[in-house]
């Protein structure tokens, strides 16, 4: 489902927010369990944990080993959300994994866990293994030996980033070797997928694409991935069709011969034939997002959106070759890789875009211009109107944003020094009982008044 259909269309789930992927959203592992799969998760969850019901083991995973937050120290698994709000964040199933607090780098620790899971599973029985490595994400940390090949990179962030990635590459190789060693490989599908573009401020590079992580420019949303499997019909081919992360849900459930309930409104498509046989994608558009809370564009208006859409709102949509952005699109530079940083900082800010034009609508032909250098919004007003219309249709189906204020009870100090569920069900009951009592009193008062 698109973010507008889960309520998570604004920002991320913060550690202190009483928020999680809404419980009525059925997850991929839940659907795979229905058809006899063992389901295991290793790595970063980041879908909320304020209640026990939000935890990975309650959302379809038989086992979980990893972190609940979006980031943390790779060795100590410790994370501060703000001064004094700090805690340990490494879990085995539903409990803090204190016994694993022994300074192993998370990429290597997660790989060891995957090897253990595969070693103890019967390869004749189906298994779904979701591995969400922490790398590459700030803080930039890597074991010393991985720096050896990258001494020539002057920019320290870029050098660390490269070292982290070298360790990740080795991890993917080790997982693949484990699949072969324990008899899974011949009947397996390995999907390597990313969630967003790089962060140039922290060693990442999206060059020659525009923008960075957290923006709707191609540099923020276009990610590379691959599918590796003996079951692919066309091996070694490149797929340039439209594929979106929501497509994995129906694709994998269908491959596993699971059932997709007809009443679930999905935004994803089964794209297996697109990937495996090179067929056309069933997908003609992608709603990148509509975020009604993000800082509004000062110059945006209904008039600029032809009365169809308020262009102050941050949104982006792709339809066939066309991509439309509205509102405040975020950091919009083209940043050459910081590997070149010894040429001086001017070298990579020489294309800084000025906002003096006060634009709030952009249109690009992404197939012809993936670098988003030629804005066509004034040349093709009819295309702009069509895409605004499509945005408006999507927006009618949006659910309200879930972005609650922070809850002081989330402080790990109140929870044995660990980030973990803090919202107690009995408190909710007491509250609802109280409010029921209050409602009764109100009703009685109203009755008296009526009398």
């Amino acid at each position: 489902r698109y973010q507008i259909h889960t309520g998570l269309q604004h920002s991320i789930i913060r550690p202190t927010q009483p928020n999680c992927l809404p419980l009525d959203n059925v997850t991929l592992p839940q659907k795979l369990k229905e058809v006899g799969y063992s389901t295991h998760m290793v790595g970063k969850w980041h879908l909320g944990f304020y209640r026990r019901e939000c935890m990975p083991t309650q959302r379809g995973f038989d086992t979980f080993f990893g972190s609940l937050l979006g980031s943390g120290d790779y060795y100590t698994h410790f994370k501060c959300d703000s001064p004094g709000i700090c805690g340990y964040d490494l879990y085995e199933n539903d409990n803090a994994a204190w016994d694993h607090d022994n300074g192993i780098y998370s990429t290597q620790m997660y790989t060891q866990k995957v090897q253990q899971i595969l070693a103890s599973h019967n390869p004749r029985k189906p298994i779904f293994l979701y591995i969400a490595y922490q790398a590459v994400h700030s803080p930039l940390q890597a074991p010393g030996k991985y720096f050896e090949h990258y001494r020539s990179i002057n920019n320290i962030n870029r050098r660390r980033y490269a070292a982290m990635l070298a360790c990740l590459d080795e991890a993917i190789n080790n997982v693949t070797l484990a699949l072969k060693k324990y008899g899974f490989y011949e009947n397996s599908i390995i999907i390597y997928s990313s969630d967003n573009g790089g962060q140039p401020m922290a060693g990442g590079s999206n060059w020659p694409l525009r923008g960075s992580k957290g923006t709707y420019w191609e540099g923020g949303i276009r990610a590379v991935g691959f599918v590796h499997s003996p079951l692919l019909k066309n091996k070694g081919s490149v797929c340039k069709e439209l594929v979106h992360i929501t497509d994995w849900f129906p694709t994998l459930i269908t491959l596993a011969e699971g059932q997709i309930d007809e009443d679930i409104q999905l935004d994803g498509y089964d794209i297996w034939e697109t990937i495996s046989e090179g067929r056309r994608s069933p997908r003609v558009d992608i709603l990148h997002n509509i975020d009604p809370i993000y800082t509004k564009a000062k110059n945006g208006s209904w008039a600029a959106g032809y009365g169809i859409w308020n262009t102050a709102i941050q949104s982006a949509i792709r339809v066939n070759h066309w991509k439309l952005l509205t509102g405040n699109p975020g950091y919009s530079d083209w940043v050459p890789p910081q590997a070149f940083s010894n040429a001086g900082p001017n070298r990579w800010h020489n294309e800084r875009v000025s906002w003096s034009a006060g634009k709030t609508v952009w249109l690009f032909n992404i197939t012809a211009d993936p670098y988003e250098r030629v804005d066509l919004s004034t040349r093709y007003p009819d295309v702009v109107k069509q895409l605004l219309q499509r945005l408006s249709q999507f927006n009618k189906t949006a659910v309200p944003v879930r972005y609650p204020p922070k809850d002081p009870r989330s402080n790990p100090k109140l929870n044995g020094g660990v980030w973990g569920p803090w919202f107690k069900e009995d408190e909710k009951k007491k509250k609802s009982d109280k409010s029921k009592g209050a409602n009764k009193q109100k009703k009685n008062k109203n009755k008296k008044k009526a009398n």
Side-chain angles (χ1 to χ4, degrees):
R1 280 181 170 168
Y2 287 139
Q3 309 93 302
I4 62 160
H5 296 144
T6 61
L8 300 176
Q9 59 269 60
H10 177 66
S11 191
I12 55 171
I13 296 174
R14 309 276 167 192
T16 55
Q17 274 181 322
N19 197 9
C20 72
L21 177 72
L23 301 176
D24 56 359
N25 283 264
V26 181
T27 66
L28 180 57
Q30 281 169 336
K31 296 305 292 176
L32 293 176
K33 269 171 84 88
E34 287 174 10
V35 282
Y37 273 71
S38 289
T39 57
H40 303 273
M41 176 180 165
V42 175
K44 164 177 161 176
W45 174 240
H46 205 195
L47 286 175
F49 59 88
Y50 78 105
R51 291 166 57 176
R52 244 191 93 255
E53 293 90 333
C54 300
M55 295 283 280
T57 50
Q58 308 292 312
R59 304 305 299 267
F61 287 107
D62 295 331
T63 69
F64 164 59
F65 179 74
S67 64
L68 296 174
L69 273 54
S71 63
D73 190 286
Y74 283 73
Y75 292 97
T76 63
H77 320 296
F78 202 74
K79 165 79 174 183
C80 290
D81 184 55
S82 55
I85 312 284
C86 301
Y88 184 65
D89 179 29
L90 186 66
Y91 269 75
E92 181 129 44
N93 299 321
D94 293 335
N95 299 307
W98 288 112
D99 48 338
H100 287 275
D101 183 13
N102 42 21
I104 301 179
Y105 185 66
S106 81
T107 302
Q108 295 165 327
M109 182 172 68
Y110 290 158
T111 306
Q112 287 170 11
K113 189 67 185 175
V114 170
Q115 290 163 330
Q116 286 164 19
I117 291 168
L118 293 172
S120 59
H121 186 84
N122 177 352
R124 284 187 292 280
K125 297 203 165 142
I127 182 170
F128 171 63
L129 186 47
Y130 171 53
I131 316 166
Y133 282 107
Q134 188 181 348
V136 174
H137 196 289
S138 58
L140 302 179
Q141 298 170 294
K145 70 171 188 174
Y146 296 100
F147 284 84
E148 284 162 21
H149 299 298
Y150 305 107
R151 291 205 181 111
S152 61
I153 300 178
N154 286 349
N155 182 305
I156 184 64
N157 277 352
R158 187 74 177 154
R159 196 184 318 155
R160 286 183 182 135
Y161 191 97
M164 294 169 85
L165 211 49
C167 184
L168 181 66
D169 281 345
E170 188 181 277
I172 305 298
N173 183 42
N174 289 337
V175 169
T176 312
L177 292 174
L179 288 169
K180 289 179 176 171
K181 179 178 177 181
Y182 299 114
F184 294 91
Y185 180 78
E186 290 307 320
N187 192 28
S188 70
I189 297 168
I190 301 171
I191 294 172
Y192 181 97
S193 175
S194 182
D195 55 355
N196 48 251
Q199 175 53 275
M201 309 301 170
S205 171
N206 305 307
W207 178 264
L209 299 178
R210 185 176 188 177
S212 69
K213 173 180 176 173
T215 71
Y216 302 153
W217 300 111
E218 292 295 283
I221 55 175
R222 181 187 286 238
V224 289
F226 62 81
V227 178
H228 175 82
S229 173
L231 309 173
L232 285 169
K233 293 214 170 108
N234 299 354
K235 296 183 177 62
S237 59
V238 176
C239 171
K240 294 199 169 175
E241 292 289 304
L242 281 187
V243 171
H244 187 253
I245 195 160
T246 52
D247 299 332
W248 292 129
F249 184 90
T251 303
L252 294 178
I253 292 168
T254 308
L255 271 176
E257 297 174 358
Q259 238 19 72
I260 294 174
D261 312 329
E262 282 172 22
D263 56 341
I264 292 188
Q265 301 271 262
L266 285 189
D267 296 307
Y269 295 85
D270 176 358
I271 49 161
W272 183 249
E273 288 180 349
T274 307
I275 293 169
S276 177
E277 299 168 37
R279 301 231 188 146
R280 293 304 307 267
S281 172
R283 178 181 277 292
V284 293
D285 55 18
I286 293 174
L287 176 69
H288 293 308
N289 198 18
I290 299 169
D291 184 345
I293 290 186
Y294 192 78
T295 318
K296 302 283 184 284
K298 286 194 181 77
N299 302 304
S301 66
W302 283 94
Y306 300 101
I308 302 167
W309 183 256
N310 180 358
T311 65
I313 293 169
Q314 187 196 48
S315 71
I317 188 168
R318 169 85 183 258
V319 179
N320 294 315
H321 301 298
W322 296 106
K323 176 181 173 187
L324 180 92
L325 298 98
T326 74
N328 179 351
Y331 184 83
S332 338
D333 279 2
W334 293 266
V335 184
Q338 288 102 312
F340 304 151
S341 73
N342 49 357
N346 311 339
R347 168 79 173 77
W348 42 283
H349 285 299
N350 56 2
E351 304 198 63
R352 187 164 283 284
V353 182
S354 80
W355 286 107
S356 55
K359 279 179 68 61
T360 56
V361 177
W362 294 258
L363 178 71
F364 300 98
N365 180 329
I366 289 293
T367 313
D369 175 28
Y371 313 139
E372 296 170 297
R373 289 186 178 275
V374 185
D375 171 35
L376 301 169
S377 59
T378 50
R379 207 183 306 174
Y380 296 104
D382 289 351
V383 177
V384 171
K385 285 177 194 167
Q386 282 169 11
L387 269 63
L388 289 172
Q389 204 73 55
R390 191 84 187 91
L391 261 182
S392 169
Q393 285 168 343
F394 269 122
N395 200 40
K396 289 191 177 91
T397 67
V399 300
V401 178
R402 297 166 63 105
Y403 198 71
K406 57 166 85 172
D407 185 336
R409 292 174 298 175
S410 61
N411 192 336
K413 279 181 187 160
L414 308 174
N415 197 15
V418 181
W419 287 104
W422 70 84
F423 201 85
K424 301 289 185 281
E425 283 310 296
D426 48 342
E427 286 177 33
K428 258 177 79 178
K429 266 199 182 139
K430 274 181 205 161
K431 274 187 186 166
S432 66
D433 289 348
K434 265 188 190 170
S435 60
K436 273 180 197 163
N439 286 345
K440 261 189 189 169
Q441 284 177 338
K442 265 189 196 164
K443 272 183 189 162
N444 293 342
K445 271 187 186 169
N446 290 344
K447 263 188 191 167
K448 278 178 190 166
K449 272 186 191 166
N451 290 344

